[in-house]
Amino acid sequence: MATPLTDQEKRKQISIRGIVGVENVAEIKKGFNRHLHFTLVKDRNIATPRDYYFALAHTVRDHLVGRWIRTQQYYYEVDPKRVYYLSLEFYMGRTLQNTMINLGLQNACDEAIYQLGLDMEDLEEMEEDAGLGNGGLGRLAACFLDSMATLGLAAYGYGIRYEYGIFNQKIRDGWQVEEADDWLRHGNPWEKARPEYMLPVHFYGRVEESQEGSRWVDTQVVLAMPYDTPIPGFMNNTVNTMRLWSAKAPNDFNLRDFNVGDYIEAVLDRNLAENISRVLYPNDNFFEGKELRLKQEYFVVAATLQDIIRRFKTTKKGAGARTSFQGFPEKVAIQLNDTHPAMAIPELMRIFVDIEKLDWDTAWDLTKRTFAYTNHTVLPEALERWPVELLETLLPRHLQIIYRINQSHLDSIASLFPEDMDRLRRMSLIEEDGGKRVNMAHLCILGSHAVNGVAQIHSDIIKTSVFRDFSELEPDKFQNKTNGITPRRWLLLCNPGLAELIAAVIGEDYVKDLSQLKKLMLLVDNEAFIRDVSKVKQDNKEKFAQYLEKEYRVEINPASMFDVHVKRIHEYKRQLLNCLHIITMYNRIKKNPTAPFVPRTIIIGGKAAPGYHMAKMIIKLITAVGDVVNNDPVVGSKLKVIYLENYRVSLAEKVIPATDLSEQISTAGTEASGTGNMKFMLNGALTIGTMDGANVEMAEEAGEENLFIFGMRVEDVAALDLKGYDAMVYYKRNPELRCVMDQITSGYFNPKNPDMFKDVTDMLFKYDRFKVFADFDDYVKAQEKVSKLYQKPKEWTKMVIKNIAASGKFSSDRTISDYAREVWGVEPTDLKIPPPSEPREAIDETAARALNKM
């Protein structure tokens, strides 16, 4: 059995953070001083901490550039199949530390910054999060980019460069207040504008029919300006590209129109066009059918497809340009991240048919073989359904194409099921009830060769209920691809203590092959390892407690259990269930102050969509309960409730490594997958959760006995729906629940305004779709088991080790390998592109080797 190494042996063995090397450090210091002087035009006397951050960022970026150019040269030589990941959201967070890790520069940079008399952590804290996403869907896209680069895929992320990302959340007087996220205020050192690749995008206008076919004319043009961000793979010299589009008005905008005499007005009106990329819509799992949002969706799709086709046509092979589209799906794979980029399907058809003059059937065949669609939710309010009226005005040609796609679809259904009018209605792209709307999920299913859910249970639900008619017709089209997280950001970066402890006992290859964590099972009874794992967690908790005391002026007991519930605020995620449990624990302490109680610090965080009234009330209730609990002298340090303000990627990196208990308590059948659950598991927290999303597979991997699973399963929820859910039954049956609800109703947590939470209590009693009361009793019992185990630190830590050892499946490297082989038809490779230090010929040799493999 492996025995833990001494510190000296660890230092020798571990190079996860890169080699230090005197030349390395000297070079970084030189680059730092050069950028401070020439890029920032400052000296050490007047430079601010932000200047120092920018100087370091530019220095690290210098190390990316050569590899970035090399990677693109290499792709041009080899001409591999390209993968395009289309998403309206990329929730990237900060870039500096991730880049240092993936380039193996972290130790050298640490040493250089130390020698310069600066503090690395202070510099890292200066960086703004790139908050171009709402939650899981956007963060998944970011993890996927990291994995695609690490697996050597010729992949590109395409999205929108929002000027304002997800709002900054302030909690004032217990209420959420939104502030604009002006993340580009100081500039972004990681992006490179590419005005030479600017492309036109058309809106409005009309369709003209002629012998040659349809022409979309009299349109309004907006220009799409690309900004490229490098995406480095882990230690493999691959640097891929994320290309985000920004909207620019053409120079003749509103000046062509003879009726506009006012030049000043016309120039000011340029804003109208440029508003397209102004702001991220802050909705998670909710569809808001606004014209500006549809413009955003078409804008990213139209610019991206022009770019993809330009790249397809300019090839090294043959005479230097491709003229036939026959091989298009052999060279291009496009993944649609939910239905947000669904307009890519009619847009590619428009390009093939109207511009490239392909016949309809050929175009449709090529289109279907190119696209694949990932579904992210089964909540009906989240499914995109665009009014036909809006499409008719904004994208008239695309509406025609959608109608034609639908017509041939319905014709083929009618021939298969001649008398089944109801099936035709269910499967149509056009929904007629309450105004004509286009069902974008149906469009994606028809226009793709593969459709996937994001966890096994979610993929099953899609096949058996939501899209049942479609899966009966084409069962082979439907797949599962369980989500994953990148271990670079979510272990090496955020939890270096744990990452290095693991490397010391199983070596460092696990970083690129997370399944190797299974080897930790051999150490589950190793006293020294148990002690080390426990020590890493305690260190992380103390560090986070210091952060909380600095930011929130609250005393935290680092020996208490850190019980953490961080994610977007939504009724289906059931932060209310957690809140009811907090009040239950409070009541137990009040009733019997001397009884033994396992101390807890309950940390809840997450943003509510600005227009989501119930979610905002839930935040107010949690903060109101916190005010009572935290200021009750009888409770003391036994129970603390903290609302974590402005939860975002950089804050997740701090709280997750410090967590003991991870709350994953959605109603079974509502959370498609979840990825926070995986981050907590990898970082040594135990999970209390329902059998929902990826929790099911986590329990499968670790053994159900090593998670605190509670509550109804999907079948139980369905049975309860049939029977009819009556909240009152549970209220009457459970005295503790009754007491809690009576307190909220009577104004115990808000004496000045006793009716404040009437909307919340009315919902819980009368129209709770997510059945909070039905799982309350089992949740409280599961929480008692948690407290009991926490009193046996060694048993607790053994269970933690079993969880970490079982988390290998949840690497996004595994997810992306599965997409690559089973959806995109490409092979991951561990081929290392020659670094910039080697001559240009090395690229040709590597390319030749790659071509031989193909």
Short mmCIF file of all heavy atoms in Angstrom, two decimals, residues 40 50 53-54 126 128 182-189:
data_model
loop_
_atom_site.label_atom_id
_atom_site.label_comp_id
_atom_site.label_asym_id
_atom_site.label_seq_id
_atom_site.Cartn_x
_atom_site.Cartn_y
_atom_site.Cartn_z
N LEU A 40 1.53 49.38 -19.99
CA LEU A 40 0.72 50.13 -19.03
C LEU A 40 1.25 51.54 -18.80
O LEU A 40 0.56 52.37 -18.22
CB LEU A 40 0.64 49.35 -17.71
CG LEU A 40 -0.08 48.02 -17.95
CD1 LEU A 40 0.31 46.98 -16.90
CD2 LEU A 40 -1.59 48.20 -17.96
N ARG A 50 -4.05 47.00 -9.73
CA ARG A 50 -4.63 46.61 -11.02
C ARG A 50 -3.58 46.62 -12.12
O ARG A 50 -3.57 45.75 -12.99
CB ARG A 50 -5.81 47.52 -11.38
CG ARG A 50 -6.40 47.20 -12.76
CD ARG A 50 -7.76 47.81 -13.01
NE ARG A 50 -8.79 47.11 -12.28
CZ ARG A 50 -9.41 47.59 -11.20
NH1 ARG A 50 -9.07 48.78 -10.73
NH2 ARG A 50 -10.33 46.89 -10.60
N TYR A 53 -1.69 43.50 -11.89
CA TYR A 53 -2.47 42.37 -12.46
C TYR A 53 -2.34 42.36 -13.98
O TYR A 53 -2.07 41.33 -14.60
CB TYR A 53 -3.95 42.42 -12.05
CG TYR A 53 -4.82 41.66 -13.02
CD1 TYR A 53 -4.75 40.26 -13.10
CD2 TYR A 53 -5.64 42.31 -13.95
CE1 TYR A 53 -5.48 39.54 -14.05
CE2 TYR A 53 -6.38 41.61 -14.90
CZ TYR A 53 -6.29 40.22 -14.94
OH TYR A 53 -6.99 39.52 -15.88
N PHE A 54 -2.54 43.54 -14.61
CA PHE A 54 -2.48 43.61 -16.07
C PHE A 54 -1.08 43.26 -16.59
O PHE A 54 -0.95 42.58 -17.61
CB PHE A 54 -2.93 44.99 -16.58
CG PHE A 54 -4.41 45.11 -16.76
CD1 PHE A 54 -5.20 45.83 -15.86
CD2 PHE A 54 -5.04 44.48 -17.82
CE1 PHE A 54 -6.57 45.91 -16.02
CE2 PHE A 54 -6.42 44.56 -18.00
CZ PHE A 54 -7.19 45.28 -17.09
N MET A 126 -7.72 40.97 -8.42
CA MET A 126 -8.04 42.15 -9.23
C MET A 126 -8.84 41.79 -10.48
O MET A 126 -9.52 42.63 -11.06
CB MET A 126 -6.76 42.88 -9.66
CG MET A 126 -5.95 43.51 -8.55
SD MET A 126 -6.91 44.56 -7.45
CE MET A 126 -7.56 45.76 -8.59
N GLU A 128 -11.57 40.66 -13.03
CA GLU A 128 -13.04 40.56 -13.08
C GLU A 128 -13.42 39.17 -13.59
O GLU A 128 -12.75 38.64 -14.49
CB GLU A 128 -13.61 41.59 -14.07
CG GLU A 128 -13.33 43.04 -13.73
CD GLU A 128 -14.38 43.66 -12.81
OE1 GLU A 128 -15.35 42.94 -12.45
OE2 GLU A 128 -14.21 44.83 -12.47
N ASP A 182 -20.22 45.81 -15.30
CA ASP A 182 -19.42 46.50 -16.32
C ASP A 182 -18.03 45.87 -16.36
O ASP A 182 -17.03 46.50 -16.04
CB ASP A 182 -19.36 47.99 -15.95
CG ASP A 182 -18.78 48.85 -17.06
OD1 ASP A 182 -18.55 48.30 -18.16
OD2 ASP A 182 -18.52 50.03 -16.81
N TRP A 183 -17.98 44.60 -16.78
CA TRP A 183 -16.75 43.81 -16.62
C TRP A 183 -15.62 44.25 -17.55
O TRP A 183 -14.46 43.93 -17.32
CB TRP A 183 -17.06 42.32 -16.82
CG TRP A 183 -17.36 41.91 -18.23
CD1 TRP A 183 -18.46 42.20 -18.96
CD2 TRP A 183 -16.51 41.10 -19.08
NE1 TRP A 183 -18.38 41.63 -20.22
CE2 TRP A 183 -17.20 40.94 -20.31
CE3 TRP A 183 -15.27 40.47 -18.92
CZ2 TRP A 183 -16.68 40.21 -21.38
CZ3 TRP A 183 -14.75 39.74 -19.98
CH2 TRP A 183 -15.44 39.62 -21.19
N LEU A 184 -15.95 45.02 -18.59
CA LEU A 184 -14.93 45.44 -19.56
C LEU A 184 -14.39 46.85 -19.27
O LEU A 184 -13.56 47.37 -20.02
CB LEU A 184 -15.50 45.41 -20.99
CG LEU A 184 -15.82 44.01 -21.52
CD1 LEU A 184 -16.66 44.10 -22.79
CD2 LEU A 184 -14.55 43.21 -21.76
N ARG A 185 -14.87 47.45 -18.20
CA ARG A 185 -14.51 48.82 -17.81
C ARG A 185 -12.99 49.08 -17.93
O ARG A 185 -12.57 50.08 -18.47
CB ARG A 185 -14.98 49.02 -16.35
CG ARG A 185 -14.66 50.34 -15.70
CD ARG A 185 -15.37 50.45 -14.36
NE ARG A 185 -15.05 49.35 -13.45
CZ ARG A 185 -15.96 48.50 -12.91
NH1 ARG A 185 -17.23 48.61 -13.21
NH2 ARG A 185 -15.57 47.54 -12.09
N HIS A 186 -12.18 48.15 -17.41
CA HIS A 186 -10.72 48.36 -17.41
C HIS A 186 -10.03 47.67 -18.59
O HIS A 186 -8.81 47.62 -18.65
CB HIS A 186 -10.12 47.84 -16.10
CG HIS A 186 -10.70 48.47 -14.88
ND1 HIS A 186 -10.44 49.78 -14.51
CD2 HIS A 186 -11.56 47.99 -13.96
CE1 HIS A 186 -11.09 50.07 -13.41
NE2 HIS A 186 -11.78 49.00 -13.06
N GLY A 187 -10.83 47.10 -19.52
CA GLY A 187 -10.25 46.37 -20.64
C GLY A 187 -10.08 44.90 -20.29
O GLY A 187 -10.13 44.52 -19.12
N ASN A 188 -9.90 44.08 -21.33
CA ASN A 188 -9.78 42.64 -21.15
C ASN A 188 -8.50 42.16 -21.83
O ASN A 188 -8.43 42.12 -23.05
CB ASN A 188 -11.01 41.96 -21.77
CG ASN A 188 -10.90 40.44 -21.76
OD1 ASN A 188 -9.96 39.86 -21.23
ND2 ASN A 188 -11.88 39.79 -22.38
N PRO A 189 -7.48 41.82 -21.03
CA PRO A 189 -6.19 41.47 -21.62
C PRO A 189 -6.19 40.15 -22.38
O PRO A 189 -5.24 39.85 -23.10
CB PRO A 189 -5.25 41.38 -20.41
CG PRO A 189 -6.15 41.05 -19.26
CD PRO A 189 -7.46 41.74 -19.56
#
